[in-house]
Amino acid sequence: MRAGRGTAAAFRHRYGASPLHLLLVLTSFALAVYAGIRLLAGDTLGVIIWFVGAAMVHDLILLPLYSVTDRAAQRLFRGGRDAGETPDRPSVNHLRVPAFVAAVLLLVWWPLIFRQGGRYTADTSLSADGFLARWLLIVAALFLASAVVLVVRTWLRLRPRRRRRRARARARRAAKRGHSEP
């Protein structure tokens, strides 16, 4: 039993994680290779052009766009102070997360959101109407839920401070009463 622990510890030291992690990584690579082979079996040139185009659009347009947006959100949460005064606040994540989820949903469903899903009704026998309204409702719910989480986290974080202030105030009142009595 001692040798088993030594082998697992040596593996973890060399690899940096457990053998299960390695198995999961290799399985995900195998699945990605399988999906790539199936994807490239159809229109190989079209798929390659799509991947290169997606990488270029991301690197040249989307990355600068969401970097500038993130900087603006960080400044908003700093309250206009200089960057050297205050470190980044984690509360900006309450804007990042719902915005990211909304952007992914828009990316996946944009043809239907912008009423460009020509064959959707023919293929599914479902109406393509209402996707914009549903997406907007989902986005509103995401930001509302994030705001509620921010308020609760702030309240829980400030609660010990309020208790300490109340305890100090009670101690001061008790001390004043003790000094005023003869």
Side-chain angles (χ1 to χ4, degrees):
M1 191 148 141
R2 190 88 166 129
R5 280 188 187 168
T7 306
F11 180 83
R12 183 178 292 273
H13 178 71
R14 285 180 174 242
Y15 177 66
S18 71
L20 179 61
H21 181 270
L22 178 62
L23 178 66
L24 290 173
V25 167
L26 291 175
T27 303
S28 67
F29 282 150
L31 183 62
V33 167
Y34 170 75
I37 290 170
R38 294 286 307 241
L39 186 65
L40 292 173
D43 182 19
T44 306
L45 182 62
V47 171
I48 291 171
I49 290 172
W50 187 87
F51 273 118
V52 170
M56 290 179 67
V57 166
H58 175 267
D59 292 350
L60 297 177
I61 297 171
L62 295 178
L63 181 64
L65 181 67
Y66 60 72
S67 296
V68 167
T69 306
D70 185 58
R71 293 289 175 137
Q74 287 180 20
R75 281 211 177 167
L76 175 73
F77 273 90
R78 266 192 220 116
R81 289 177 283 216
D82 291 335
E85 283 184 41
T86 322
D88 292 342
R89 296 187 181 188
S91 52
V92 76
N93 291 334
H94 291 275
L95 285 177
R96 285 178 182 153
V97 172
F100 174 76
V101 173
V104 168
L105 289 173
L106 180 64
L107 183 65
V108 170
W109 296 102
W110 71 269
L112 294 171
I113 291 171
F114 296 118
R115 297 179 185 220
Q116 296 177 357
R119 293 190 46 193
Y120 179 77
T121 303
D123 290 346
T124 64
S125 300
L126 299 172
S127 173
D129 294 335
F131 275 88
L132 177 62
R134 285 184 225 139
W135 179 76
L136 289 173
L137 285 172
I138 290 169
V139 169
L142 287 169
F143 278 99
L144 179 66
S146 184
V148 167
V149 169
L150 176 63
V151 167
V152 168
R153 287 179 69 191
T154 303
W155 181 75
L156 289 174
R157 187 179 73 239
L158 296 177
R159 192 168 54 171
R161 291 181 195 164
R162 286 193 300 264
R163 283 186 188 156
R164 285 193 298 267
R165 274 192 235 128
R166 277 188 241 137
R168 278 189 243 130
R170 272 183 262 152
R172 279 194 299 262
R173 283 193 301 266
K176 284 182 184 178
R177 275 185 263 153
H179 289 300
S180 63
E181 292 178 13

